[in-house]
Amino acid sequence: MAWRNVVVTKHSKITAKMQHIIVQTDGEVFQFPLSDIGIVLIETTRAVISTYALSQCAKNHIKVISCDEKGMPISEITPYAYNKNRVANLRSQIQWKQSDKDRLWQHVVKQKILHQAAVLERFERPGTEEIKALADEVTTGDPNNREGVAAHMYFPRLYGYEFTRENSENSLNPMLDYGYAIVLSEVSRQICAHGYLTEFGIHHCNDKNPFNLACDLMEPFRPFVDTRVKQLENDFLKPETKVKLVELMREDIPELNTTVTKLIDRFVRDSLAFLSKGKDLPEFKAVREQK
């Protein structure tokens, strides 16, 4: 079971040998068993990786993410064959009923809003009950955009009334963007692992977005990033904070007895089973149990 993320932050050479990933910097050599790794995040443009290392990552279902010159995730490499039922799953995916997609989107939005309310409650911020009430107003497909209304109420209450997501000069927004990109990558990895395409979403349908479905299913997990950024709010996006944001994915959550990565795996798996096999809507236990 993969439990480790490898983050490469400096000039280095990345190779593979004897079922290990080897990262060689100017002064040190690090070795990581392939079986331990879930993600290799290359956040510097001064690192090189061998094609053999890439092939070994693919064979071991390891996602490789590269970043641009600003250190923001820009691309990822995932293997072609994750799941032996992939062809059958893709046939099912293109036939998903619109009514089922709308029901799942309603459920996703409700869980996201409830999780946002739980975050406000955790930090003893105002507005918890008002945002909880919005969850009850979400209808099939969320045509009234309760998601957007909740976000408009949530962010100023969590980070201060001067905060807006559109302000790129606010130090919190680069940290949020970075954390969301990591969550998006993990959701995308799980979708591929279960043998489906990330391009075909249930709500997002941008022709230029290759991650429409991942953008849909990541929504209830954004508040995990919001929580971590709230804890780092006196900081800014730098190598140390990037590591803390990446570590969020596989840190133990004692009150949930699991990790964010495992929660994502379960939620994605159950969402796909609902759409393709008529199973129950996925549970999102973090909302009920998180304090």
Side-chain angles (χ1 to χ4, degrees):
M1 178 68 183
W3 58 274
R4 172 180 285 169
N5 294 323
V6 176
V7 182
V8 180
T9 61
K10 60 177 70 174
H11 177 63
S12 55
K13 181 179 180 181
I14 306 166
T15 57
K17 185 177 181 180
M18 301 292 290
Q19 290 299 303
H20 282 70
I21 284 290
I22 302 169
V23 182
Q24 182 176 358
T25 67
D26 291 336
E28 297 179 275
V29 177
F30 304 90
Q31 296 190 49
F32 308 96
L34 286 163
S35 59
D36 288 353
I37 303 173
I39 297 174
V40 175
L41 174 62
I42 307 173
E43 71 164 35
T44 175
T45 57
R46 300 178 65 240
V48 296
I49 183 169
S50 71
T51 54
Y52 182 68
L54 288 174
S55 69
Q56 290 300 299
C57 286
K59 288 179 180 179
N60 287 273
H61 300 169
I62 298 169
K63 174 168 285 192
V64 180
I65 305 173
S66 61
C67 297
D68 60 17
E69 64 278 3
K70 297 179 181 179
M72 296 300 293
I74 192 172
S75 69
E76 60 185 44
I77 299 172
T78 56
Y80 283 137
Y82 253 114
N83 188 290
K84 63 182 181 181
N85 298 318
R86 181 174 174 82
V87 174
N89 290 344
L90 296 185
R91 289 197 186 103
S92 172
Q93 185 173 6
I94 62 177
Q95 297 176 10
W96 285 345
K97 296 178 182 177
Q98 187 61 48
S99 58
D100 288 340
K101 291 191 286 186
D102 288 343
R103 278 189 65 202
L104 181 56
W105 181 243
Q106 176 190 20
H107 183 66
V108 165
V109 171
K110 289 183 71 170
Q111 298 308 308
K112 177 184 179 180
I113 292 173
L114 289 171
H115 198 180
Q116 288 173 330
V119 172
L120 292 181
E121 185 175 14
R122 172 177 179 171
F123 290 104
E124 299 181 344
R125 306 295 295 173
T128 299
E129 295 305 319
E130 292 90 334
I131 290 181
K132 279 184 181 178
L134 286 175
D136 293 330
E137 298 176 9
V138 180
T139 57
T140 304
D142 191 28
N144 296 322
N145 194 25
R146 296 298 91 182
E147 180 195 21
V149 174
H152 184 73
M153 297 171 60
Y154 165 72
F155 283 109
R157 286 166 171 78
L158 181 60
Y159 297 127
Y161 287 96
E162 73 286 353
F163 176 84
T164 64
R165 281 290 286 136
E166 293 75 25
N167 182 5
S168 60
E169 295 182 0
N170 188 305
S171 62
L172 299 181
N173 277 315
M175 289 194 287
L176 288 170
D177 292 340
Y178 191 88
Y180 293 156
I182 298 301
V183 172
L184 176 67
S185 177
E186 182 63 25
V187 174
S188 175
R189 186 175 79 90
Q190 295 294 352
I191 291 169
C192 293
H194 289 288
Y196 293 83
L197 291 174
T198 61
E199 287 86 349
F200 299 124
I202 60 172
H203 178 75
H204 291 83
C205 57
N206 189 331
D207 288 345
K208 297 181 180 180
N209 180 8
F211 304 110
N212 284 311
L213 184 57
C215 288
D216 291 327
L217 300 184
M218 73 173 285
E219 293 299 336
F221 299 93
R222 287 179 181 267
F224 283 116
V225 176
D226 303 338
T227 298
R228 177 55 54 91
V229 171
K230 177 65 176 176
Q231 294 166 341
L232 299 169
E233 66 179 341
N234 295 321
D235 216 326
F236 60 93
L237 190 63
K238 58 186 180 182
E240 293 81 2
T241 53
K242 289 179 181 178
V243 169
K244 290 178 181 178
L245 288 164
V246 174
E247 287 176 343
L248 168 67
M249 301 302 297
R250 284 181 163 77
E251 286 180 357
D252 287 333
I253 308 172
E255 62 269 29
L256 301 177
N257 195 30
T258 188
T259 65
V260 176
T261 295
K262 291 179 181 178
L263 284 174
I264 289 174
D265 182 16
R266 187 182 307 129
F267 190 80
V268 169
R269 179 197 65 204
D270 292 349
S271 294
L272 297 172
F274 167 78
L275 291 165
S276 292
K277 302 176 183 178
K279 302 291 186 179
D280 293 337
L281 285 165
E283 292 185 7
F284 188 67
K285 294 182 178 179
V287 168
R288 179 172 53 85
E289 298 177 13
Q290 180 168 315
K291 300 297 182 183

